[in-house]
Amino acid sequence: MSHNHPPRRLDILILFSDTGGGHRSAAEAIIEAVQLKFGDQVTTRMVDIFKDYAPPPLNYLPELYPKMVLIPRAWGWGYYLSNGRRRSRAIIEGSWPYVRRAARDLLNQNPSDLIVSVHPIATAGAVRAMGSRHPPFITVVTDLVTTHALWYNRKCDLCLVPTPAARQRALKYGLKEEQVQVVGLPVVNRFCQPAGDKHSLRQRLGWPQGMTTVLLVGGGEGMGPFEKTALAIAQAGLPISLILVCGRNQKLKSRLENQSWPLPVKVYGFVQEMPNFMRAADILVTKAGPGTISEALNAGLPMVLNSHLPGQEDGNISYVVSEGAGLWAPEPEQTVAVLRSWLERPELLAAAASACRRLAHPDAAMKIADILGEKLHLITPRPVAE
């Protein structure tokens, strides 16, 4: 008498940490795509490498990170001083005795069929702790261009990168051609939908029709030169409407709501509808974070980048500007000048929107899900496109 047992669910372990929003966002995008593709054939688990397993004081890094990046110059120095093949190897070797036990505990307590790292510091420790017999290990790089050497470990099975520039760095740091694939940066599915109709989107959102709409975003905490930029744009006498998204910064939101504005303005706090905001707007003014840039590219939304984190975000500015998808304007007056030039020469704005669509990777998360499915033998491998 035979018993037909249902097939065992395969398990994917995703290593991340809340040091910057991008790692969690990428992990969530991959999980969503895996669930859409494979349903209950696969289970996924996210583990915060620092908070859940690292010894003190490393376990406090997610809490300390927002304070550390408030001194951007110091952060940038630290980033560049630790970068490079030799220096990153010295960091890995020097820290291994300290993190060895934590890395082994992490893997022993989370047995899996496949491991995905979306954090540069997770990769080396996990690969070393696995030893010679281990499940496939895939790194998904979540910085766009100026990627740190710690992302690239020669023992990983695959390294999935967002841009050709990140691929070049992978090869420079010793990975083989066949180890590296350009797939784009994974963002959640709601940011990957077709553009839709601006008129009906604005109608539903209660935004003004028939004028250029500028979306100003300050990140989760309303960071960067947000308020000064909003006031400078408002005082410039431009024929636009202005959408201000303050994130979780309630004080900033209430200050802006109490401001008297000489043009149509809508003020929001933290919003769930950002994909529709991006599709309904004509221009985005924002910090040069990789997730926001990728979301804007998917929406075909030209960007004015007005701040960045030195180090991993340096290359994001040159990437957006050199590819024609936006401009760099760190001072509020420069942002106003860019807006004015785009309004006076609409063909420049149209060219930037076209560049955004050319650079977009709306299928990045789904491509990654396919690659994970191949590694788990759930789907037949496709030939790798060059």
Side-chain angles (χ1 to χ4, degrees):
M1 191 169 139
S2 66
H3 296 282
N4 286 329
H5 295 290
R8 181 179 73 83
R9 281 187 186 183
L10 298 167
D11 198 69
I12 298 175
L13 173 64
I14 300 184
L15 307 178
F16 87 108
S17 185
D18 275 322
T19 50
H23 306 298
R24 177 181 284 276
S25 302
E28 288 172 344
I30 293 166
I31 287 169
E32 179 189 54
V34 165
Q35 288 170 345
L36 286 169
K37 283 266 178 187
F38 304 113
D40 58 7
Q41 293 179 79
V42 176
T43 59
T44 51
R45 268 173 303 153
M46 286 170 64
V47 170
D48 188 321
I49 55 162
F50 289 125
K51 201 183 283 181
D52 298 338
Y53 282 93
L58 295 177
N59 57 330
Y60 293 111
L61 270 179
E63 284 173 50
L64 294 172
Y65 179 84
K67 299 180 180 73
M68 289 157 68
V69 296
L70 289 175
I71 315 166
R73 190 171 291 180
W75 176 269
W77 274 104
Y79 190 88
Y80 284 109
L81 286 171
S82 64
N83 206 355
R85 195 191 291 189
R86 283 185 185 172
R87 279 169 283 184
S88 64
R89 196 178 295 149
I91 291 167
I92 292 163
E93 292 299 326
S95 62
W96 176 244
Y98 186 61
V99 301
R100 174 173 47 206
R101 185 172 170 183
R104 286 177 177 159
D105 285 349
L106 187 160
L107 296 175
N108 290 336
Q109 291 167 24
N110 296 279
S112 58
D113 299 288
L114 175 68
I115 300 174
V116 178
S117 168
V118 295
H119 198 288
I121 294 174
T123 302
V127 165
R128 187 158 179 178
M130 287 190 305
S132 56
R133 292 184 63 196
H134 59 81
F137 191 101
I138 294 176
T139 304
V140 177
V141 176
T142 61
D143 291 318
L144 289 181
V145 178
T146 330
T147 47
H148 200 285
L150 284 170
W151 277 113
Y152 304 117
N153 190 290
R154 295 184 209 181
K155 291 183 180 171
C156 70
D157 293 81
L158 268 180
C159 182
L160 308 179
V161 296
T163 61
R167 184 175 190 273
Q168 286 307 312
R169 286 174 84 88
L171 300 177
K172 174 187 159 189
Y173 288 129
L175 269 63
K176 297 187 178 78
E177 296 261 350
E178 62 271 18
Q179 272 178 296
V180 192
Q181 287 185 42
V182 179
V183 295
L185 187 81
V187 296
V188 291
N189 193 48
R190 64 181 188 275
F191 281 102
C192 305
Q193 303 307 311
D197 173 43
K198 274 192 203 295
H199 181 85
S200 55
L201 276 170
R202 288 181 189 178
Q203 198 165 20
R204 190 167 67 70
L205 292 166
W207 293 5
Q209 300 279 5
M211 62 199 313
T212 300
T213 300
V214 176
L215 173 61
L216 179 57
V217 177
E221 311 303 325
M223 303 271 283
F226 186 91
E227 190 168 6
K228 283 182 186 170
T229 303
L231 294 170
I233 293 170
Q235 288 154 12
L238 301 173
I240 61 169
S241 64
L242 192 54
I243 309 300
L244 305 176
V245 179
C246 307
R248 298 181 192 86
N249 194 329
Q250 280 300 320
K251 286 181 183 173
L252 174 66
K253 179 174 181 275
S254 57
R255 272 203 310 278
L256 295 176
E257 282 173 334
N258 292 321
Q259 182 81 26
S260 61
W261 299 95
L263 78 173
V265 171
K266 281 195 166 288
V267 182
Y268 297 87
F270 187 82
V271 295
Q272 297 289 348
E273 275 214 276
M274 190 56 78
N276 285 331
F277 278 31
M278 285 190 173
R279 289 185 202 109
D282 297 299
I283 298 168
L284 174 67
V285 181
T286 186
K287 174 181 177 286
T292 305
I293 289 172
S294 299
E295 290 158 6
L297 295 178
N298 288 349
L301 181 60
M303 285 162 270
V304 183
L305 302 176
N306 66 354
S307 69
H308 78 300
L309 187 61
Q312 67 261 51
E313 289 179 3
D314 284 345
N316 299 359
I317 297 161
S318 54
Y319 176 66
V320 166
V321 173
S322 66
E323 295 287 354
L327 290 166
W328 169 238
E331 297 298 329
E333 300 72 32
Q334 292 170 307
T335 297
V336 170
V338 171
L339 297 179
R340 185 169 278 121
S341 72
W342 278 349
L343 289 166
E344 288 170 356
R345 297 186 60 191
E347 72 275 12
L348 296 179
L349 185 60
S354 174
C356 288
R357 290 189 288 272
R358 174 174 55 80
L359 295 173
H361 285 278
D363 58 350
M366 286 302 192
K367 272 188 182 171
I368 292 168
D370 278 342
I371 290 165
L372 303 187
E374 289 167 12
K375 286 289 179 190
L376 293 169
H377 307 294
L378 292 171
I379 53 178
T380 308
R382 302 154 301 144
V384 175
E386 285 302 318

